[in-house]
Amino acid sequence: MTLRRTLTIAALLTPGLGLILVMVGSVFYIAVAQSFGYYNLSGDSAFSLDHWRDVLGSKQFGRSLGYSAYIAIISALGSIAIAYPLAIWMRKPFRGSLVVGSLLKAPLFVPGLVAAFLFLNVVAYHGVLNQFLMWTGLTDAPIRFQNDRNGFGVIFLQLWKNMPLALLLLTGAVQGISDEVVDAARDLGAGPLARFRKVIAPLTVQAMQAALIIIFIGAAGDFAFQVTAGPTNVQSMAQYMVFLKTSFGRWNQAAVVGVSLMGLALVGALGLAGLARLTLRGLKW
């Protein structure tokens, strides 16, 4: 590619990509600068490491970081684990496959906050699930499912919301595998599990990595699901950041949490993507 052609492509991308880079870059710059004491909305602006020292030394920050990482990892891996068999099942069209695919992708069109409130109506103390359990005689009194301490409700919502995205990415990748490749593996004696490990998974690893990255970043920064259905004994990183800003007006400390959340999203997403490739490389042998 010549220099002139490269400059032409860069110029064509500048109106769209340049605007995005400027906006994202400015937000990132202000967040980082604010975490070091600048852009202070409630006091003097000056360089300081005190905000980082106070936040990193807080037990609540450590718990929030671990909890957000836990939710993001389980959500990303769980969505992939559910989506892969469905993508392989829908690899070849069958009678009603369009209807099934549309129903499986329907959660993509439901706002997360709406899904959270629907979930609460089901698992609330006097919700549909408890009413059903008491009606069948399985329980004598309602059971508290809402705001469980382990965040299972949040994980369920994340899987319900993100699995269709993983399915969308993996279905296209799986359908792109030639029938001759799969049939050749079958003729050589490879069973379903062996075909997945040595043929399907390695050929769709890029789609799987993309799904892992997108889902991990979204789940790590979750706010709506955590506030409505999450545990009350721990806060997510996003929730802790808002808590610092609204409750105490500690904008600089909130910026520290925000920058840390960006770091968690970057390191976690790249780590999962790299781990997935290394794992698949080992499974081929």
Side-chain angles (χ1 to χ4, degrees), residues 13-161:
L13 292 175
T14 299
L17 182 61
L19 180 61
I20 295 174
L21 292 176
V22 169
M23 295 180 65
V24 173
S26 61
V27 171
F28 178 76
Y29 163 74
I30 292 177
V32 173
Q34 197 170 39
S35 69
F36 287 104
Y38 297 106
Y39 298 101
N40 193 351
L41 302 180
S42 58
D44 297 333
S45 297
F47 178 81
S48 175
L49 295 175
D50 292 339
H51 307 295
W52 280 93
R53 188 180 301 111
D54 293 340
V55 172
L56 296 181
S58 171
K59 292 183 179 180
Q60 190 171 2
F61 172 79
R63 295 183 63 195
S64 297
L65 181 63
Y67 173 78
S68 294
Y70 155 73
I71 293 293
I73 292 174
I74 298 299
S75 300
L77 296 179
S79 298
I80 294 296
I82 298 173
Y84 248 127
L86 293 174
I88 295 173
W89 175 48
M90 298 179 62
R91 179 172 175 268
K92 291 186 177 180
F94 55 89
R95 188 179 184 89
S97 60
L98 290 177
V99 177
V100 174
S102 300
L103 292 176
L104 290 174
K105 297 179 180 69
L108 290 173
F109 303 97
V110 180
L113 195 57
V114 175
F117 279 111
L118 292 175
F119 175 75
L120 290 182
N121 287 330
V122 175
V123 302
Y125 195 69
H126 294 289
V128 176
L129 180 59
N130 272 314
Q131 294 296 326
F132 174 77
L133 292 176
M134 290 189 295
W135 177 71
T136 56
L138 296 176
T139 59
D140 297 328
I143 301 174
R144 184 167 297 281
F145 295 109
Q146 185 176 341
N147 304 112
D148 62 284
R149 297 176 62 87
N150 297 311
F152 294 140
V154 175
I155 292 175
F156 173 82
L157 287 170
Q158 290 288 352
L159 293 177
W160 181 82
K161 184 66 176 176

Side-chain angles (χ1 to χ4, degrees), residues 87-93 171-188 190 195 199-200 203:
I88 295 173
W89 175 48
M90 298 179 62
R91 179 172 175 268
K92 291 186 177 180
T171 299
V174 171
Q175 289 177 345
I177 300 175
S178 173
D179 291 338
E180 287 78 7
V181 175
V182 179
D183 292 338
R186 185 184 293 109
D187 293 340
L188 291 173
R195 291 198 300 270
V199 178
I200 296 176
L203 293 177

